[in-house]
Amino acid sequence: MRSLTVAWQDPQALAEAGRAMSGLEFLRAIRDGRLPSPPIAELLGFSLVEVEPGHAVFEVHPGERHYNPIGVVHGGLAMTLLDSAMGCSVHTQMPAGGAYTTLEAKTNLVRAISERTGVLRAIGKSIHVGRRVATAEGRLVDRDGTLYAHASTTCLVL
């Protein structure tokens, strides 16, 4: 039998702290450990490792805890990582108090993922950030640059 214990900090306190900073400042504070990671990152075991204007990268080491019933990593892990990377690439361009939400996301899974895959990087890049709509794209790759999934998103700027 295997087990996993997950601990996280109050997500409302994290959101409140974020409203006082620009999106880039907020994400850099999470990356640098000055603010805690959000609960979803703790639950799935991924972390923000790079953040610049219009760019965000998350990393995860897929393991058995991510497996589906057929013995490979569930596609939802790839989708969640890509949604996070693309959304955060948009978030880097939000002013203090600014917000957005995903309206639509499309993911193409192109290769199976297992615990033997090693560390994966979800790289998000914003394409357009306007007053009401933002778009971004993402790629999920291993350390050698092999593509495992790619995605695009449309976000509503609030």
Side-chain angles (χ1 to χ4, degrees):
M1 179 58 71
R2 291 146 171 96
S3 67
L4 175 69
T5 301
V6 179
W8 62 90
Q9 295 190 29
D10 179 3
Q12 292 307 315
L14 178 61
E16 287 176 28
R19 285 190 273 281
M21 304 175 189
S22 72
L24 185 60
E25 293 168 327
F26 178 57
L27 293 171
R28 284 180 172 165
I30 292 171
R31 177 200 62 195
D32 297 343
R34 290 180 280 125
L35 288 174
S37 295
I40 188 69
E42 297 297 336
L43 179 64
L44 294 179
F46 65 88
S47 58
L48 180 62
V49 296
E50 292 179 24
V51 61
E52 296 300 331
H55 175 83
V57 179
F58 287 88
E59 286 186 348
V60 69
H61 189 261
E64 283 183 336
R65 68 184 176 153
H66 301 118
Y67 275 33
N68 62 24
I70 63 171
V72 294
V73 171
H74 191 283
L77 179 66
M79 293 173 187
T80 300
L81 286 163
L82 286 164
D83 181 56
S84 296
M86 293 183 301
C88 286
S89 75
V90 169
H91 198 156
T92 65
Q93 298 179 332
M94 293 291 112
Y100 69 95
T101 189
T102 300
L103 283 177
E104 176 270 340
K106 164 98 169 67
T107 303
N108 294 282
L109 305 167
V110 299
R111 183 172 274 107
I113 300 168
S114 75
E115 65 182 334
R116 291 178 305 212
T117 300
V119 173
L120 290 173
R121 294 170 55 85
I123 303 162
K125 178 183 172 192
S126 62
I127 303 300
H128 168 79
V129 179
R131 287 186 346 194
R132 301 299 298 166
V133 173
T135 58
E137 62 187 12
R139 296 172 54 84
L140 185 66
V141 298
D142 67 12
R143 293 270 189 206
D144 296 327
T146 301
L147 183 68
Y148 285 79
H150 57 95
S152 61
T153 192
T154 302
C155 298
L156 175 65
V157 177
L158 304 172

